[in-house]
Amino acid sequence: MRDLPNFLAVADVLGDLTPEQRDMFELRVEQWWPDLHEGLAAVYPPREVEDLEARLLFLAATAFRDREPELARLDTKRLLDPGWFQSGKMVGYACYADRFAGTLEGVEQQIAYLKELGITYLHLMPILKPRAGDSDGGYAVADYRQVRADLGTTEDLRRLSAALRAEGISLVADLVLNHVAKEHAWAEAARAGDEKYRDYFYVFPDRYMPDAFERTLPEVFPDFAPGNFTWDDDLSGWVWTTFNSFQWDVNWANPDVFYEYADIILFLGSLGVEVLRLDAIAFTWKTMGTNCQNQPQVHALTQALRAVARIAAPAMIFKAEAIVAPADLVQYLGQGKHYGKVSDLAYHNSLMVHAWSMLAAKDVTLGAHALRGLPPVPASTAWITYLRCHDDIGWAIDDGDAAAVGLNGYQHRAFCSDYFTGQFPGSTARGHVFQYNPATGDRRVSGGAAALVGLDAAVEAGDRVATQQAIDRLLLLYALILGWGGIPVIWMGDEIGLPNDAMWAQEPGHADDNRWVHRPRMPWGRAEARRYPGTVSARMFSGLAHIIDVRKSSPYLDAWVPAEVLDESDPGVLPVLRRHPLGSFLGLYNMTPQWRPWPSWRLGGLGLWDSVDLLSGRPINVADDGNVWLAPHASVWLVPRER
Ligand code: GLC
């Protein structure tokens, strides 16, 4: 291990602080410096590491000194309770601030609504200044230090985060760290010929290198942004653009880029952001001959960035947005030497995909097999469980998993696309195909959760029975993600069964990107209808709020207890066990429209012979045939009955 840095170098910065504060800074550096050093040394040459570390120490000391007292207090609170985000009381909500409530101030006014639902974590989709025009939903950032003008100012953001915090809600914001908008100042400087900034990007004078990379690179947006490089006249070169041509990938092999993002992270921390969503993190390191995703350097760099954040603003944690295959996914919560040292949270993409796949197939065999095969994650981390978000669903179903249960991966993925776009006989789902890729046959799917469970179609047909069945399906899937462990995140509108946005293509710049179909504006009138029993809004809202309530009042759902998928007894019922020190928690999820059995003899071995279903509040009912029978699309959460 390398020696600690020389604190004399920051004596001036910390000069006005109390001895206790200075001591706290030094203790934190002692705690996290080894992580920082190891991370940087794995990526950069020794001389650059030394120089970068000196700058980072200064940066962290300055941020530590300038931390607002309220946030400094939060730092202490979180250090006393480092597993705060693992609590079963955490429930998330994600939305675009403008689509939810117009402005940041508007969001503040809706805090009561979020509290009514039981929310403790609010992800506001990109809120920093994007480029003008098409900005990939805000993921093409033109300035990390300014809030989107139509939403408000950085002062408004600071105020909102404080208002949320006062109500027990943590603010989550995006850090887009794979690319910037081509209008960002770094890109402008590069285009103006500044060599320093040209090195912030991957620029190639001719097609030689791009062609060599392309041989193994997939395409993220084959429809509207084919290829991974874009010619730029001013640069007189090809610039790396994994996503859209206006999103320039930054060059993390350049230590100056690392420094810039460390600075931005601490700036966002100073505004009261508690969780940083590391957007498209899988793509941040490029290696010739690979798909340039999930490279080991990504994890080394995350470890170093997290160490900087821990030293200066430990109230802030990281969430990895890596929508990748299961074996790659678990790396983002730290495996091997990065165990527990990278992101604290990561999206459970596999659970999301398999939840939909099991519902469509009315069979849990494949999902149970795949989810069982996922390697364990560090007990200090947590999954983000979710059903829908602002993005499409890509059918990340592994060929090996499919083959292991006698299915063909390609065909099953095609089935999921067919099913959720309503092409499969009997399906009333209303998804849209997003980014058909003829080379791989992939057909990703856009569409809101309500549309995908058939609620839109049932309501439109005025079919009361089908409407209730669709609501049951949506509540079933939500019970699954709320009962898994980790932070469940509700996508805006699901709580009232919001339909697809029929007018999505009418808005300027959206027509090419059908992900806007599931990014509607919040119709507050419809939300208001949650107060009128019998409406779809009321049935969804009260159903979901009930599951949330049960979750929050149960001690069994803390994330440090892993979820284990048990062997199935019935191909329609997914059994998920959590072995909590207080006793077992068994979630049973009937993915079919029929009554399905769960053999009661299996309960004894789990300590659940005498158990109660938390969701209905009733003791289990064993039928004469020895089975517990689950109603169509029902879920139960069994725990030992208290005596
Ligand atoms: C993430 C976002 C997605 C965006 C991409 C590029 O995957 O969720 O919406 O297109 O990153 O920033």
Side-chain angles (χ1 to χ4, degrees), residues 136 139 176 179 221 243 247 277 279-280 321 390-391 515 519:
D136 187 23
Y139 286 101
V176 185
H179 42 260
F221 294 144
F243 292 84
Q247 288 162 300
R277 173 188 180 277
D279 178 69
E321 191 251 348
H390 68 295
D391 279 328
R515 289 177 297 174
R519 301 168 179 176

Side-chain angles (χ1 to χ4, degrees), residues 8 54 79 84-85 130 132 135 181 217 230 238 271 324 338 389 451 461 541 575 605 621 635:
L8 283 177
L79 288 173
W84 64 275
F85 59 88
S135 64
L217 282 177
T230 302
W238 293 90
L271 297 178
V324 298
H338 298 301
C389 66
F541 195 94
N621 181 12
S635 16

Side-chain angles (χ1 to χ4, degrees), residues 114-329:
L114 298 172
K115 287 203 73 176
E116 188 183 330
L117 194 57
I119 299 305
T120 63
Y121 156 122
L122 177 64
H123 175 200
L124 292 181
M125 301 295 296
I127 41 182
L128 303 180
K129 185 180 169 190
R131 72 192 290 265
D134 184 2
S135 64
D136 187 23
Y139 286 101
V141 178
D143 187 346
Y144 291 100
R145 288 167 202 278
Q146 268 189 63
V147 163
R148 240 175 79 177
D150 60 321
L151 296 180
T153 62
T154 47
E155 267 326 296
D156 293 335
L157 186 58
R158 206 187 292 273
R159 224 200 31 237
L160 174 63
S161 78
L164 289 166
R165 212 162 32 249
E167 294 293 344
I169 302 177
S170 298
L171 177 64
V172 186
D174 286 88
L175 177 65
V176 185
L177 79 185
N178 178 66
H179 42 260
V180 295
K182 79 177 208 289
E183 291 75 10
H184 187 283
W186 305 335
E188 299 279 8
R191 264 203 306 278
D194 188 330
E195 286 299 324
K196 172 178 157 77
Y197 289 100
R198 192 178 169 101
D199 282 348
Y200 275 38
F201 301 97
Y202 290 93
V203 186
F204 305 101
D206 53 42
R207 281 300 304 183
Y208 182 72
M209 292 293 279
D211 285 345
F213 275 112
E214 284 287 13
R215 278 196 272 280
T216 51
L217 282 177
E219 288 178 315
V220 178
F221 294 144
D223 269 11
F224 46 62
N228 287 278
F229 300 87
T230 302
W231 174 259
D232 186 274
D233 278 341
D234 296 329
L235 291 176
S236 198
W238 293 90
V239 60
W240 200 308
T241 54
T242 300
F243 292 84
N244 289 289
S245 58
F246 52 76
Q247 288 162 300
W248 287 17
D249 288 37
V250 294
N251 174 9
W252 279 87
N254 178 347
D256 287 341
V257 166
F258 184 98
Y259 180 84
E260 296 274 12
Y261 280 97
D263 195 8
I264 292 165
I265 286 172
L266 297 185
F267 169 72
L268 294 173
S270 78
L271 297 178
V273 173
E274 290 183 43
V275 181
L276 267 188
R277 173 188 180 277
L278 306 178
D279 178 69
I281 184 171
F283 298 86
T284 48
W285 193 270
K286 330 287 188 195
T287 309
M288 179 65 78
T290 72
N291 64 356
C292 296
Q293 290 182 41
N294 315 309
Q295 299 300 301
Q297 289 85 346
V298 171
H299 306 299
L301 289 170
T302 313
Q303 176 177 313
L305 282 177
R306 178 178 184 267
V308 177
R310 285 288 139 129
I311 292 168
M316 185 165 50
I317 59 170
F318 284 3
K319 170 173 69 161
E321 191 251 348
I323 309 304
V324 298
D328 294 320
L329 178 58

Side-chain angles (χ1 to χ4, degrees), residues 34-102:
D35 288 359
L36 175 75
H37 179 72
E38 275 168 34
L40 296 179
V43 174
Y44 303 121
R47 185 162 300 204
E48 289 184 356
V49 170
E50 208 176 305
D51 171 64
L52 182 56
E53 283 181 351
R55 293 157 71 202
L56 291 171
L57 181 68
F58 194 81
L59 182 73
T62 309
F64 177 85
R65 179 197 64 197
D66 297 343
R67 193 95 164 126
E68 273 183 28
E70 198 214 325
L71 292 173
R73 186 166 181 276
L74 187 66
D75 289 335
T76 308
K77 191 172 160 183
R78 298 306 193 211
L79 288 173
L80 288 171
D81 179 19
W84 64 275
F85 59 88
Q86 298 186 300
S87 158
K89 298 197 181 344
M90 293 295 291
V91 179
Y93 192 84
C95 59
Y96 283 96
D98 56 328
R99 303 206 145 232
F100 179 62

